[in-house]
Structure formats: C-alpha cells, structure tokens
Amino acid sequence: MITSIVLIKTSVDRVPEVAEQIASLEGVSEVYSVTGPHDLIALVRVRRHEELAEVIPGRISKVPGVESTETHIAFRAYSQHDLEAAFAIGLDS
C-alpha cells in the first residue's frame, strides 16, 4: 500500500464542502481541516504509484474550490498509532 499526504489550499469560504467532496473520492482514506498555510490534509492510499496520478491531479485537484495541492509520498511507517485518535486529541465533548 502506498500512502501519500496531500496538503490542500482551498477557497476559504468552501472548506467544509471541499473537504466532504474530497473525502468521498476513491483512494482518499481521510481528510482533516487544519491550521497553518494549508486548509486541508488528505491521506491517499493506493496499491500502485500510477494510481496517485489518477487520485491527486485526476480527482482531488479537479474538485471545485481546490486552489493548489502539495503531495508527500510516505517511504516507511514508523508508528502504528491510530491516526484518527491522534488527530482527535482535545476534541472530546
């Protein structure tokens, strides 16, 4: 499995809609809204490198409201921590 981290800049007024559309795309496993210079981070998981081109420029970049993407391909995982739990820290009600 190939994992890539996609940093996404969006139209500020469309972040929730863009995030939902990206999250529904095949190959996208998670989407997080974040602070900092990017608005969203998407985790893309595919079986072959060729599929990255289908998912990132072929699908994510074409979502209305996406202004730019920056992709980082993971070489190796050093931790098996649950990413959902890590990103949910402090969000318990």
Side-chain angles (χ1 to χ4, degrees):
M1 185 68 61
I2 299 161
T3 301
S4 64
I5 298 95
V6 184
L7 309 175
I8 304 163
K9 290 186 182 181
T10 69
S11 303
V12 176
D13 60 335
R14 303 219 38 233
V15 171
E17 295 86 2
V18 172
E20 287 179 21
Q21 281 190 273
I22 292 171
S24 71
L25 297 174
E26 184 179 346
V28 176
S29 60
E30 295 110 315
V31 177
Y32 300 96
S33 61
V34 296
T35 60
H38 296 88
D39 302 300
L40 300 170
I41 295 177
L43 297 181
V44 174
R45 293 191 170 97
V46 295
R47 296 199 181 281
R48 299 176 297 116
H49 279 99
E50 295 79 18
E51 293 176 75
L52 291 174
E54 296 170 15
V55 176
I56 300 165
R59 295 183 193 135
I60 292 176
S61 294
K62 292 181 179 177
V63 170
V66 170
E67 295 177 354
S68 66
T69 64
E70 181 179 319
T71 302
H72 299 265
I73 298 173
F75 292 127
R76 180 177 295 140
Y78 289 96
S79 173
Q80 297 301 318
H81 291 146
D82 181 6
L83 289 175
E84 183 175 325
F87 277 97
I89 292 174
L91 298 179
D92 295 334
S93 9

